[in-house]
């Protein structure tokens, strides 16, 4: 009897002992994301913010685990007890729409001294559904990547209706979202709004040219609108070359949820048993020194870990698009190649209009898809052009658009079933073209062959400009049959298959990502591309804004900028000074320029070559915003703080402008720096009183220099060099 009582007491004791919560700390040198299991076995966000010096402090934070619909669950599922936007939603085989995910296990492993990966497994205890949360941290760069893998073992396929890459919670006095939206030739226009109760969604359903209207990145200022050098900001971006969605939801208690992932619109994905669904990576940094530091974090991370050839050099170029459009022949191109050499750039880039025989590509109405050179236009073929470029002393690059087709093309005539189009409706054409069905492996082979055939025939091709001028319209894949819901996603996966094959076979081939201007700029594509075309709009005034916008997330070497004839009211110097802020190219008839302008351009290329390491790999400091006045200024400083390049623009200054000194940033206050104006017009000397003088870093940063003027559309570039170098 006594024994039974003791046993009973023991059993009662055991059942009332609660398992200790599991705490998972995911950190960079600056940020802590701490997750913890609740009493119900589910996983919650305990903390996200500036790193704590003592982890024991976390024990004082109350876990928001109450199942009153407002908990901070890490990956909440729809249908059970979540009152707000879920991260995940599924329809099981029995028609049930709920799942509850409980913590199962987690692992953390160091990839190297800087990179650590944490994997957390969650499982539904009623249905065989498992979700793995992945977090990769980059300690020094203060960047975190998070994504999810979903798998199930139900008898038949399930439909997953939401599948976020990540969900983050914030509790601040106010939230201020900066979005980057616009249109063709008007990309990444910044606008900021305060978030109040309810949802703000940034999304796209354009499929291929996905970010024609809005880019896959954002900034949230916490407690105040994001500022350049102060305050806490979240800067996030989704690495996905397709439909994305960011949902910002403020709840009844003024918490903010930030949910990032593929846009599930028209994509209720059919997931087969045991098939792993991997969401794209959401990449973010939490800076407590404003968006300036946030950008520097992302740039450093991108160069080291993400961007194709992120730490390598780039090729300057002369492109023929605006100089000739479709109207060229071998003689004209040979002339341009010589001009490229004369100008001092590394490469000549041949744009659209070189292919098609039955339907020669004389305009954008036909020929797309027929990647054979137009024989009567270019009788010596691409090999002839490569040879002429070699003789001229420049490398040769070429434009392609492998994902697309004109209905007036041999490809379309041969393979109408390779095209995304509705079987029962008239097609809607965007730029007279249709999108090829990259979910189909045969179409992937075709897209790969566009590059592979050219490279096989011409191993000396040094560069590709990969364009994508249409969004996906007429959404229907003849290949996917009853899985039409998977098309937007399979398209992107198909594209990555093609790009993976190209990267594997031609690992050192630089490529520019272009999409009717800046219709694609995301960090998954940028694993395959060394740079992207920011916009077809090369009016330097507009470019100051566009490049300002992209510079929030991308390093200068990833952003292609060309000197063109857009806005002839601006001088060639002004246009060049703006393009030199990024990866420099020219797309202009050099011969049509005045002698002085031609000499200026050649000198500018030399200056650029001298400074490109700082421009490409230096830290960016955005000193004066074009959004806040009539001037703009940006500078780059190399890592040892020995060399800097400073760009100063007067856009439309007013007579009444009270010009203030421009205070530099990012220098070493204890070093002395020589300041020198470069990129002067031939025969002109600098009017700057600081030119060829030496200042301490402290002076340059505390007092600054008198660099702005009231001259409309004028610009200056300064080279700043630590004395003694
Ligand atoms: C797109 C690109 C341009 C040019 C044309 C060619 O619009 O953005 O730079 O290559 O296609 O058709």
């Amino acid at each position: 009897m006594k024994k039974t009582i003791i046993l009973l007491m023991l059993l009662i004791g055991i059942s009332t002992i609660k398992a200790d919560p599991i705490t998972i700390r995911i950190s960079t040198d600056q940020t802590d994301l701490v997750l913890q299991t609740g009493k119900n076995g589910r996983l919650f966000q305990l903390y996200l913010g500036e790193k704590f010096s003592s982890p024991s402090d976390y024990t004082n934070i109350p876990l928001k685990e109450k199942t009153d619909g407002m908990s901070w669950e890490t990956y909440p599922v729809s249908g059970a007890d979540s009152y707000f936007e879920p991260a995940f939603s599924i329809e099981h085989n029995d028609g049930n729409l709920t799942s509850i995910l409980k913590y199962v296990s987690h692992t953390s492993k160091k990839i190297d001294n800087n990179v650590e990966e944490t994997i957390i497994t969650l499982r539904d205890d009623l249905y065989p559904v498992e979700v793995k949360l992945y977090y990769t941290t980059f300690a020094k760069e203060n960047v975190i990547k998070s994504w999810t893998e979903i798998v199930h073992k139900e008898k038949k396929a399930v439909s997953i209706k939401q599948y976020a890459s990540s969900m983050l919670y914030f509790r601040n006095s106010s939230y201020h979202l900066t979005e980057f939206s616009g249109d063709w030739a008007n990309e990444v226009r910044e606008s900021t709004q305060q978030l109040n109760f309810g949802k703000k969604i940034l999304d796209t359903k354009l499929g291929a040219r996905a970010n024609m209207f809005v880019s896959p990145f954002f900034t949230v200022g916490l407690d105040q609108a994001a500022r350049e050098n102060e305050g806490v900001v979240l800067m996030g971006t989704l690495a996905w070359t397709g439909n994305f969605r960011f949902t910002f939801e403020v709840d009844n208690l003024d918490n903010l949820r930030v949910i990032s992932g593929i846009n599930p619109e028209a994509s209720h994905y059919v997931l087969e048993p045991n098939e792993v669904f991997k969401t794209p990576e959401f990449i973010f940094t939490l800076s407590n020194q404003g968006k300036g530091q946030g950008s520097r974090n992302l740039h450093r991370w991108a160069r080291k870990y993400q961007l194709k050839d992120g730490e390598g050099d780039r090729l300057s170029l002369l492109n023929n698009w605006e100089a000739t459009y479709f109207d060229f022949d071998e003689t004209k191109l040979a002339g341009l190649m010589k001009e490229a050499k004369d100008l001092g750039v590394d490469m000549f880039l041949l744009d659209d209009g070189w292919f098609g025989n039955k339907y020669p590509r004389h305009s954008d109405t036909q020929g797309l898809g027929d990647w054979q050179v137009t024989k009567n236009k270019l009788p010596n073929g691409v090999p002839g052009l490569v040879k002429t470029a070699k003789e001229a002393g420049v490398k040769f690059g070429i434009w392609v658009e492998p994902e697309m087709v004109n209905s007036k093309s041999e490809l379309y005539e041969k393979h109408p079933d390779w095209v995304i189009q509705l079987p029962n409706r008239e097609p809607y054409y965007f730029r007279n073209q249709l999108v090829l069905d990259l979910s189909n492996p045969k179409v992937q082979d075709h897209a790969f062959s566009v590059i592979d055939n050219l490279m096989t025939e011409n191993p000396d091709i040094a560069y590709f400009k990969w364009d994508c001028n249409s969004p996906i319209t007429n959404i229907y894949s003849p290949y996917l049959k009853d899985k039409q819901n998977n098309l937007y996603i399979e398209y992107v996966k198909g594209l990555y298959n093609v790009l993976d094959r190209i990267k594997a076979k031609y690992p050192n081939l630089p490529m520019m990502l272009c999409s009717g201007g800046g219709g694609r700029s995301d960090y998954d594509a940028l694993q395959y591309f060394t740079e992207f075309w920011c916009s077809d709009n090369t009016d330097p005034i507009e470019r100051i804004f566009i490049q300002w916008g992209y510079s929030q997330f991308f390093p200068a070497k990833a952003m292609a900028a060309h000197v063109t004839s857009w806005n002839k009211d601006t001088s060639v110097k002004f246009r060049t000074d703006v393009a030199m802020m990024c990866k420099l190219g020219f797309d202009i008839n050099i011969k049509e320029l005045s002698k002085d302008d031609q000499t200026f351009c050649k000198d500018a290329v030399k200056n650029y070559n001298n400074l490109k390491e700082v421009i490409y790999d230096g830290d960016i400091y955005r000193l004066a915003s074009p959004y806040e006045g009539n001037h703009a200024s940006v500078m780059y400083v190399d890592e040892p703080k020995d060399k800097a390049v400073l760009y100063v623009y007067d856009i439309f200054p007013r007579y009444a402008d009270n010009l203030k000194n421009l205070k530099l940033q990012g220098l070493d206050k204890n070093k002395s720096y020589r300041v020198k104006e470069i990129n002067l017009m031939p025969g002109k000397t600098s009017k700057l009183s600081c030119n060829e003088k030496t200042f301490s870093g402290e002076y340059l940063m505390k007092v600054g220099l008198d660099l702005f003027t009231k001259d409309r559309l004028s610009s200056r570039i300064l080279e700043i060099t630590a004395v003694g170098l």
Side-chain angles (χ1 to χ4, degrees):
M1 177 67 181
K2 223 172 151 191
K3 267 189 185 165
T4 327
I5 292 173
I6 291 170
L7 201 68
L8 214 66
M9 282 170 67
L10 263 174
L11 278 174
I12 294 167
I14 286 168
S15 67
T16 51
I17 291 172
K18 291 188 191 88
D20 278 346
I22 314 270
T23 305
I24 307 166
R25 189 180 184 201
I26 296 156
S27 342
T28 68
D29 286 353
Q30 307 292 326
T31 304
D32 267 334
L33 169 62
V34 185
L35 309 176
Q36 196 172 69
T37 53
K39 293 181 197 75
N40 54 13
R42 289 153 72 173
L43 187 70
F44 302 89
Q45 180 185 308
L46 184 66
Y47 176 79
L48 170 58
E50 197 174 338
K51 192 169 183 162
F52 269 100
S53 26
S54 156
S56 62
D57 279 338
Y58 298 125
T59 49
N60 297 319
I61 304 175
L63 190 66
K64 294 187 183 57
E65 60 172 318
K66 266 173 62 194
T67 48
D68 59 0
M70 286 173 286
S71 68
W72 281 23
E73 191 162 9
T74 312
Y75 207 67
V77 187
S78 67
D81 51 15
S82 157
Y83 293 169
F84 294 94
E85 185 73 15
F88 183 50
S89 167
I90 183 168
E91 183 176 344
H92 299 287
N93 281 183
D94 62 3
N96 195 309
L97 295 172
T98 65
S99 252
I100 287 182
L101 298 171
K102 294 201 172 159
Y103 168 88
V104 176
S105 63
H106 78 280
T107 57
S108 277
K109 77 164 185 266
K110 276 206 165 295
I111 309 285
D112 60 32
N113 272 343
N114 194 46
V115 185
E116 189 163 338
E117 185 174 83
T118 302
I119 307 171
I120 305 166
T121 304
L122 309 174
R123 202 173 293 143
D124 189 331
D125 50 16
L126 269 188
Y127 291 89
V129 174
E130 192 174 278
V131 169
K132 282 196 162 95
L133 307 177
Y134 284 78
Y135 299 87
T136 306
T137 53
F138 301 84
K140 264 205 298 204
E141 294 78 15
N142 189 22
V143 166
I144 302 179
K145 286 202 301 198
S146 65
W147 73 97
T148 302
E149 274 181 13
I150 298 158
V151 70
H152 75 92
K153 290 185 190 317
E154 300 202 15
K155 287 213 166 61
K156 288 185 292 169
V158 299
S159 168
I160 50 174
K161 296 164 191 285
Q162 302 220 44
Y163 30 80
S165 295
S166 122
M167 176 131 172
L168 302 174
Y169 297 83
F170 296 88
R171 182 152 183 75
N172 293 77
S173 57
S174 59
Y175 313 101
H176 306 260
L177 170 70
T178 301
E179 65 180 63
F180 299 84
S181 51
D183 200 343
W184 173 79
N186 187 17
E187 288 87 347
V188 293
R189 205 174 41 197
E190 274 186 43
S191 62
T192 300
Q193 59 185 270
Q194 186 165 347
L195 298 170
N196 292 311
F197 179 85
K199 282 189 257 188
K200 162 80 186 175
I201 291 177
L202 292 178
D203 72 347
T204 167
K205 52 190 183 61
L206 299 181
R209 190 173 166 178
N211 45 302
M212 183 157 62
F213 302 129
V214 60
S215 292
F217 39 82
F218 65 83
T219 298
V220 177
L222 299 167
D223 296 320
Q224 58 180 319
R227 294 166 69 190
E228 192 60 34
N229 294 313
E230 300 88 23
V232 183
V233 297
L234 167 75
M235 297 176 77
T237 177
L238 193 78
W240 182 244
T241 319
N243 295 346
F244 62 83
R245 185 170 83 178
F246 299 119
T247 306
F248 305 87
E249 183 170 34
V250 178
D251 68 18
N252 54 320
L253 301 176
D254 280 341
N255 300 301
L256 171 70
R257 291 159 167 75
V258 177
I259 309 161
S260 311
I262 294 175
N263 187 356
E265 155 87 20
S267 295
H268 288 176
Y269 195 86
V270 182
L271 186 66
E272 296 292 338
N274 297 314
E275 182 188 344
V276 178
F277 182 88
K278 179 176 181 286
T279 69
E281 292 168 354
F282 174 62
I283 297 150
F284 69 96
T285 184
L286 200 62
S287 154
N288 54 17
Q289 290 158 59
K291 45 192 177 165
Q293 187 57 49
S295 299
R296 292 188 285 280
N297 294 345
L298 289 165
H299 295 184
R300 285 182 168 212
W301 164 81
R303 283 190 297 257
K304 189 146 186 217
Y305 297 104
Q306 191 80 7
L307 177 65
K308 178 160 174 154
D309 198 15
E311 293 179 308
D313 198 3
R314 295 291 181 273
L315 297 168
S316 58
L317 58 87
L318 175 71
N319 189 191
N320 71 311
W321 177 239
E322 292 194 19
T324 66
Y325 292 105
F326 295 95
D327 178 20
F328 55 81
D329 56 21
E330 286 182 346
T331 317
K332 235 189 213 178
L333 296 183
L336 289 170
M337 289 172 192
K338 281 208 191 91
E339 281 176 31
K341 176 66 186 171
D342 237 34
L343 186 60
V345 293
D346 302 310
M347 178 171 59
F348 171 74
L349 170 64
L350 173 61
D351 216 283
D352 195 356
W354 58 268
F355 49 87
N357 283 298
K358 181 168 177 193
Y359 302 107
R361 179 79 172 167
H362 54 54
S363 69
D364 62 18
T365 56
Q366 63 177 46
L368 201 57
D370 299 345
W371 298 103
Q372 301 82 33
V373 81
T374 310
K375 285 193 197 99
N376 55 12
K377 189 172 186 177
L378 303 167
N380 294 299
V382 178
L385 298 173
V386 176
K387 188 164 163 263
T388 318
K390 211 178 216 166
E391 282 159 12
V394 286
K395 294 183 193 294
F396 179 81
I398 194 163
W399 180 98
V400 289
E401 194 176 1
E403 299 161 71
M404 305 279 158
V405 67
N406 283 130
S407 50
K408 227 171 154 191
S409 69
E410 290 183 80
L411 183 74
Y412 185 85
E413 285 171 354
K414 260 215 299 261
H415 299 290
D417 58 326
W418 281 11
V419 177
I420 295 178
Q421 60 179 330
L422 292 157
N424 51 355
R425 287 185 199 277
E426 279 300 300
Y428 165 86
Y429 291 98
F430 190 101
R431 209 195 190 212
N432 311 302
Q433 61 196 61
L434 294 168
V435 183
L436 290 172
D437 181 7
L438 279 180
S439 70
N440 181 342
K442 284 201 180 119
V443 181
Q444 293 171 23
D445 288 345
H446 160 81
F448 172 72
S449 77
V450 176
I451 302 285
D452 195 36
N453 291 347
L454 279 162
M455 286 304 288
T456 307
E457 185 191 39
N458 309 282
D460 286 341
I461 291 182
Y463 184 86
F464 282 90
K465 174 177 176 184
W466 178 298
D467 215 335
C468 163
N469 275 299
S470 173
I472 298 180
T473 52
N474 319 297
I475 185 79
Y476 183 87
S477 156
Y479 177 78
L480 286 178
K481 301 197 176 78
D482 62 343
K483 284 194 181 167
Q484 296 301 322
N485 258 295
N486 293 12
L487 177 53
Y488 282 117
I489 293 172
E490 293 309 321
Y491 181 89
V492 181
K493 290 207 264 174
L495 173 66
Y496 293 155
N497 278 344
V498 174
L499 294 170
D500 274 330
R501 285 170 69 184
I502 295 170
K503 197 172 173 182
K505 190 155 178 194
Y506 306 105
N508 302 319
L509 183 63
M511 297 207 288
M512 181 208 279
L513 175 64
C514 176
S515 184
R520 274 177 170 174
S521 51
D522 71 87
Y523 269 122
D524 214 347
L526 287 172
Q527 290 187 75
Y528 306 101
F529 294 90
T530 42
E531 62 230 48
F532 67 93
W533 182 229
C534 302
S535 175
D536 279 344
N537 189 339
T538 45
D539 171 340
I541 302 172
E542 298 304 328
R543 270 297 180 126
I544 290 175
F545 288 85
I546 291 169
Q547 291 166 194
W548 183 272
Y550 283 122
S551 81
Q552 313 284 322
F553 291 86
F554 303 102
K557 73 192 325 178
M559 293 159 52
H562 296 173
V563 180
T564 74
S565 319
W566 280 57
N567 196 348
K568 285 190 175 148
D569 288 345
T570 60
S571 64
V572 169
K573 168 173 165 58
F574 189 76
R575 287 179 246 163
T576 311
D577 284 1
V578 172
M580 275 177 65
M581 213 202 278
C582 299
K583 204 228 86 170
L584 179 67
F586 290 80
D587 192 353
I588 194 168
N589 211 330
I590 304 285
K591 285 253 170 68
E592 281 177 9
L593 303 182
S594 72
K595 278 275 162 289
D596 272 359
D597 279 343
Q598 291 189 27
T599 312
F600 167 82
C601 288
K602 286 180 204 168
D603 289 345
V605 172
K606 283 189 200 126
N607 291 332
Y608 187 79
N609 286 339
N610 284 336
L611 293 171
K612 68 180 176 181
E613 274 172 32
V614 187
I615 301 168
Y616 289 163
D617 300 324
D619 277 326
I620 190 169
Y621 292 86
R622 289 179 295 257
L623 306 181
S625 167
Y627 284 93
E628 285 165 15
N630 305 317
H631 310 268
S633 178
V634 164
M635 75 186 278
Y636 302 107
V637 184
D638 72 354
E639 210 176 333
K641 297 181 187 295
D642 286 335
K643 192 114 199 152
V645 192
L646 172 62
Y647 303 81
V648 183
Y649 307 103
D650 303 305
I651 308 170
F652 292 123
R654 292 174 49 203
Y655 172 78
D657 262 7
N658 182 1
L659 300 177
K660 303 209 174 78
N661 266 13
L662 181 65
K663 291 180 189 166
L664 311 198
Q665 292 173 29
L667 300 172
D668 182 337
K669 72 179 172 59
N670 299 315
K671 286 186 180 163
S672 291
Y673 294 92
R674 186 110 183 127
V675 171
K676 185 179 169 205
E677 184 175 4
I678 57 164
N679 264 25
L680 290 158
M681 284 303 287
K684 289 267 160 53
T685 49
S686 174
K687 289 194 216 145
L688 297 173
S689 57
C690 62
N691 189 42
E692 305 275 10
K693 292 206 174 118
T694 301
F695 303 87
S696 71
E698 186 166 23
Y699 180 92
L700 292 171
M701 294 193 288
K702 285 195 172 147
V703 178
L705 299 174
D706 178 16
L707 293 172
F708 289 128
T709 76
K710 291 186 185 175
D711 300 335
R712 294 178 91 217
L713 303 172
S714 71
S715 55
R716 283 153 295 291
I717 300 186
L718 282 84
E719 179 179 356
I720 296 166
T721 315
V723 175
L725 281 185

